[in-house]
Amino acid sequence: ADGLYIICKIGCKIDETGNCFYKVALIDENKEPYPIIRNHRYVIYVDDLDEGSPDFNTAANLPPVNFTVKEIRDVTISVSSNQIDLNETLPVQVTVPDGSKLKELTITAPNFTITEGGNNLSQSAEGVYTFSGEKTGTTTYYFKPNSIGTDSITIAGSGDYLNNFSQTIQVTVSSSIKAQADKSKLYYDSDEDKIVTVQATIPAGVTTLNIVAPSFSPV
């Protein structure tokens, strides 16, 4: 019920012992013991320490030194779909958990134009976008495809109290003809000719276009 403790030997030199033994409790930020799992690696980050104990047994019988606990967490990357039309934009959300800070971010997406908050991201290389600074909470990046086909988006980064991460998203880009008329009502028995103009957006690569309109005459 008390959880587990680690006795850390930190800063001792070979030729002298000193007070450098510390008792660390394996507890979360709510001071609840971690459910320790075998064959997993647990990393303890030491920020600042007071003077420790001269030996293992003395440290083991003292209260733990970690009164404040910061847990190393994972960034969450979420995408609404892996399929998109050439004329659409794909939003991707990067969420930094509470208590952590994103410091470095690299986005590799050679066949996309990327915006954040309405602004284009600056490229560090062809198709590679980098950010250095500090981000918390959720940031949405918008990916506008530049071509049809299956392309990858890779998002990687690191920060304070974050596990280093890298995630690749495969996105299939297709395209369809978009058509829009300038009016929706016409009158056949009008005294003057009535014309409806249809504006069509045709994707690249289309070589044959069929228009079927039996009740209309093209002008």
Side-chain angles (χ1 to χ4, degrees):
D2 294 334
L4 294 180
Y5 299 95
I6 300 292
I7 306 300
C8 298
K9 184 180 180 181
I10 304 173
C12 289
K13 297 180 180 179
I14 296 176
D15 57 349
E16 61 180 85
T17 302
N19 294 326
C20 49
F21 288 84
Y22 303 89
K23 181 180 182 180
V24 178
L26 297 181
I27 55 176
D28 62 20
E29 64 267 34
N30 298 317
K31 299 186 177 180
E32 295 293 331
Y34 281 117
I36 303 302
I37 306 173
R38 66 181 300 174
N39 297 328
H40 281 61
R41 182 168 67 104
Y42 295 86
V43 180
I44 299 173
Y45 291 89
V46 178
D47 184 27
D48 189 20
L49 289 173
D50 295 328
E51 186 173 303
S53 302
D55 54 64
F56 180 96
N57 291 330
T58 302
N61 292 316
L62 291 175
V65 297
N66 53 324
F67 297 105
T68 302
V69 176
K70 287 285 190 179
E71 187 173 351
I72 310 301
R73 299 183 181 274
D74 293 322
V75 163
T76 301
I77 300 174
S78 57
V79 58
S80 57
S81 175
N82 290 90
Q83 296 184 349
I84 186 175
D85 189 271
L86 183 64
N87 301 302
E88 297 175 346
T89 301
L90 178 69
V92 177
Q93 292 185 329
V94 177
T95 300
V96 181
D98 292 340
S100 303
K101 296 178 182 178
L102 180 62
K103 293 293 189 68
E104 302 286 341
L105 182 69
T106 300
I107 301 176
T108 305
N111 292 317
F112 295 87
T113 300
I114 309 173
T115 58
E116 176 199 350
N119 300 315
N120 289 337
L121 297 186
S122 59
Q123 297 190 51
S124 58
E126 184 67 29
V128 180
Y129 305 78
T130 58
F131 164 83
S132 296
E134 185 175 297
K135 285 186 179 294
T136 59
T138 298
T139 303
T140 302
Y141 298 92
Y142 296 91
F143 294 78
K144 179 71 169 62
N146 299 323
S147 61
I148 299 173
T150 299
D151 292 301
S152 62
I153 297 171
T154 299
I155 302 176
S158 61
D160 293 342
Y161 306 112
L162 285 177
N163 288 313
N164 293 348
F165 63 93
S166 179
Q167 182 173 331
T168 299
I169 304 167
Q170 297 293 332
V171 181
T172 300
V173 181
S174 59
S175 187
S176 58
I177 297 174
K178 306 291 184 181
Q180 184 174 2
D182 64 343
K183 57 179 67 70
S184 59
K185 289 184 178 181
L186 294 175
Y187 298 95
Y188 176 75
D189 56 352
S190 174
D191 293 335
E192 58 185 47
D193 292 340
K194 294 294 183 179
I195 297 176
V196 58
T197 301
V198 178
Q199 184 176 23
T201 301
I202 304 171
V206 174
T207 58
T208 303
L209 183 66
N210 294 323
I211 301 176
V212 179
S215 298
F216 295 87
S217 298
V219 295

